[in-house]
Amino acid sequence: MTMQCDVVVIGAGMVGLALALGLRRCGLSVQVVEQMPSPDLLAADHRVSALNLASERVLRHLGVWEPIAEKQRYQQMSIWEQDSSSRLSFSAAELCLPALGYIVPNQAVMKAMYLALQDSGVVMRYGCKSARIHAHDEGVEIEFSQETLRASWLISAEGAHSRVRADFNFPTLEWDYGQSAVVATIATDLPHQACARQVFLTSGPLALLPLTEPHLCSIVWSVPSAQAHTLLALDEEAFSHRLSAATGMELGLCRLVSPRQSFALRARYARDLLRARCLLVGDAAHTIHPLAGQGVNLGLMDAAAVIEAVEQQVQQGNWNGCLDFLAPTLRWRKTEAMQMLAAMEGIKQLFAYRGPFRLVRRIGIDALQHAPIIKRQLALLATGNCGELPLMARGS
Ligand SMILES: Cc1cc2nc3c(=O)[nH]c(=O)nc-3n(C[C@H](O)[C@H](O)[C@H](O)COP(=O)(O)OP(=O)(O)OC[C@H]3O[C@@H](n4cnc5c(N)ncnc54)[C@H](O)[C@@H]3O)c2cc1C
C-alpha cells in the first residue's frame, strides 16, 4: 500500500513535534514517524531543559506553552568556580523581566505537544522505523514493512544519532568532548529559591536546576567519561555525599531521589542541512555541550525558522513542494549553530585552564560581575533575547 503526504517528520522529540505542529498549521499534510513504541515511555527520561524566553514564545505561538505542566521559572542565575569566592550572578529583576527562563521536564513538553497534535490531522506513527528511504528530485519514498509513504520532503529530527544524516552522507564535523553528563533529580536541605546554579569543577561543570518543588533540583554533572561510570556505580548515599561536596554545600546536603542517567557528550555540526529533499533539524543537525543549556533552544529556533519560511511560501501561493526557498533560512541556521558550538567550546576551554591563569579568570569573573553593560549582554544571551530570531520568537 502506498500513502501520500506533504512532509514526513522522523523523530517525535521536542523539535520534531514542534515542526509537525507548525507545518500542519501552514496547511501541509504531515506524518510523524517515531521508533519508540508509545509516548508514555517518555516518562523514563529524567532530563529537563532550561528553556529560554525565545523558546517560550515559540511554544506559546504553537499553542503548547500553557498546557505544559511543571514549569519552574528561574529568576536568578549563579555561576562560580570551585574553591573560589568569585561569582557571576544575574537576576530577572535587573532586566525587568518576570523570569530568566524556565526549567521544564522534556517529557512534559513532549506530552503537551503530543496532545496538541491529537486532533490536528497529523498522523502519528509510534513504534515505527523505516526499512529504507529513497530520495530523488521530486520527493522521498519511505518504506516500512507493510507500506510505503511518499512525501515531498523528509525532515530528520532524529536527534544526535540521525540515521538520515548517516545514510545520505551529510558532511559532518564531529569531536568528542571527552565527557559524559550524569543526570538525576536530587532533594536539597535548603530551598533553591528559583535560582539556576552552575559550578565549574576541575572535572567539568555541574548544574543545579530548580524544579517546581522548592527543595528539588535536577542536576547535570559533566565529568570525564571514566568518572561518569564511577559516579553511576556509587551507591545512593556515597553519590549524595560526593554531590554535596562538589556543590560546596551551596544548598546544604543533597540526596539522590531518582535513578541516574548518563549521556556521552559529543559535538556535531552538519555542514549541509538539506540534501535530496531531506532536511536535518535540531540535534540531528547540531549537538552541543549542555553546559549553557542551549541545545533544544537552538533546535526550536530551527523549527520556528523553517515553519515561517514555509508559511510565507504558502501565503504567497508559491508552495509547490520544491525546497529552494529554504536556502537563506538554512544558511542563517547553520551560522547560528556554528556560533553556539564555538561559544560552548570557548566556555569549556576557559574553565579547563589550570595554573596561574586561574587567578586571571577569577579577576575576570569579578570584573564581569561589576560591569553592568557586559553583564546585561550576557544575560540577554542567556534569555535568548538577542541576535536574529524567527518572528514568532521575538518579544514585543
Ligand atoms: C544531559 C543533557 C542536558 C541538556 N540540557 C539542556 C537544556 O537545559 N536546555 C537545552 O536547550 N538543551 C539541553 N540539552 C539538549 C537537548 O536535550 C537536545 O538539544 C534536544 O533533546 C534535541 O531534541 P531533538 O528533538 O532534536 O532530538 P531528540 O530529543 O533526541 O529526539 C529524537 C527522537 O527521534 C527518535 N528517532 C531517532 N531515530 C529515529 C528513527 N530512525 N526512526 C524513528 N524515530 C527515530 C528518537 O526516539 C527520539 O524520540 C541537554 C542535553 C543533554 C544530553
Side-chain angles (χ1 to χ4, degrees):
M1 189 172 67
T2 302
M3 295 182 72
Q4 190 106 26
C5 66
D6 289 316
V7 53
V8 174
V9 178
I10 307 191
M14 290 183 272
V15 177
L17 293 180
L19 266 161
L21 273 166
L23 294 177
R24 179 68 198 128
R25 285 195 179 182
C26 295
L28 304 194
S29 53
V30 182
Q31 298 216 7
V32 177
V33 177
E34 167 59 50
Q35 65 191 0
M36 283 208 304
S38 123
D40 299 335
L41 292 176
L42 296 172
D45 190 342
H46 297 285
R47 265 184 304 170
V48 301
S49 292
L51 293 183
N52 64 28
L53 304 181
S55 291
E56 176 197 351
R57 288 189 284 267
V58 168
L59 298 180
R60 272 191 196 285
H61 186 91
L62 296 175
V64 291
W65 181 252
E66 288 307 330
I68 295 175
E70 304 169 61
K71 307 184 270 271
Q72 171 63 44
R73 62 174 61 174
Y74 56 95
Q75 284 151 326
Q76 298 174 67
M77 271 167 67
S78 187
I79 300 162
W80 72 101
E81 193 184 352
Q82 189 178 26
D83 303 328
S84 159
S85 57
S86 308
R87 195 175 275 251
L88 196 54
S89 308
F90 304 97
S91 82
E94 281 169 348
L95 297 172
C96 303
L97 291 169
L100 293 172
Y102 299 82
I103 305 299
V104 192
N106 291 4
Q107 44 101 357
V109 180
M110 287 186 271
K111 188 171 174 199
M113 290 174 161
Y114 173 75
L115 292 176
L117 282 162
Q118 286 304 289
D119 299 319
S120 66
V122 170
V123 177
M124 306 286 293
R125 296 165 174 257
Y126 276 86
C128 199
K129 221 171 161 179
S130 61
R132 201 170 311 158
I133 298 170
H134 306 277
H136 41 83
D137 287 347
E138 285 75 43
V140 289
E141 274 160 32
I142 301 147
E143 279 178 24
F144 300 104
S145 52
Q146 307 284 332
E147 58 191 344
T148 300
L149 190 53
R150 275 208 189 115
S152 301
W153 53 312
L154 177 154
I155 299 178
S156 163
E158 298 168 284
H161 306 288
S162 164
R163 191 180 126 191
V164 168
R165 190 182 64 222
D167 285 358
F168 287 89
N169 298 318
F170 280 79
T172 306
L173 269 178
E174 286 196 36
W175 64 95
D176 200 341
Y177 284 124
Q179 290 186 328
S180 294
V182 175
V183 175
T185 307
I186 58 157
T188 57
D189 271 357
L190 301 175
H192 54 59
Q193 293 182 312
C195 179
R197 296 171 170 83
Q198 177 137 277
V199 50
F200 282 89
L201 307 168
T202 47
S203 52
L206 162 61
L208 298 159
L209 306 171
L211 300 179
T212 45
E213 210 278 304
H215 290 266
L216 285 186
C217 286
S218 174
I219 59 159
V220 182
W221 193 351
S222 304
V223 291
S225 299
Q227 209 173 317
H229 293 301
T230 312
L231 286 177
L232 294 179
L234 291 174
D235 66 33
E236 290 185 14
E237 203 180 328
F239 180 86
S240 302
H241 286 324
R242 184 81 69 95
L243 179 65
S244 305
T247 61
M249 301 289 277
E250 176 80 3
L251 293 174
L253 282 175
C254 303
R255 189 167 43 88
L256 186 67
V257 295
S258 79
R260 284 156 278 181
Q261 286 178 293
S262 152
F263 299 85
L265 301 178
R266 207 172 159 76
R268 292 184 190 81
Y269 171 82
R271 290 174 189 273
D272 287 343
L273 296 181
L274 182 64
R275 281 198 150 190
R277 291 200 172 225
C278 297
L279 174 70
L280 305 180
V281 288
D283 272 23
H286 38 70
T287 50
I288 61 174
H289 198 290
L291 66 86
Q294 289 298 334
V296 79
N297 289 306
L298 197 58
L300 288 172
M301 294 311 120
D302 291 348
V306 170
I307 293 164
E308 281 174 6
V310 171
E311 196 172 34
Q312 201 179 23
Q313 287 294 109
V314 172
Q315 279 170 0
Q316 292 171 350
N318 295 334
W319 170 256
N320 56 10
C322 170
L323 300 178
D324 293 348
F325 69 92
L326 276 178
T329 304
L330 300 184
R331 269 198 301 278
W332 162 36
R333 297 317 306 158
K334 273 201 307 187
T335 309
E336 293 283 325
M338 192 36 117
Q339 285 172 352
M340 190 63 85
L341 264 161
M344 292 312 106
E345 196 57 31
I347 299 173
K348 189 172 168 285
Q349 295 298 341
L350 177 69
F351 282 93
Y353 282 114
R354 307 273 155 255
F357 184 77
R358 280 185 93 175
L359 183 63
V360 179
R361 188 165 59 213
R362 286 172 186 178
I363 295 170
I365 291 176
D366 278 335
L368 264 182
Q369 178 64 13
H370 297 102
I373 298 175
I374 307 178
K375 226 181 98 180
R376 191 181 155 79
Q377 281 311 312
L378 286 175
L380 288 175
L381 251 173
T383 56
N385 278 343
C386 71
E388 195 185 348
L389 289 172
L391 285 174
M392 66 175 98
R394 292 183 199 168
S396 50

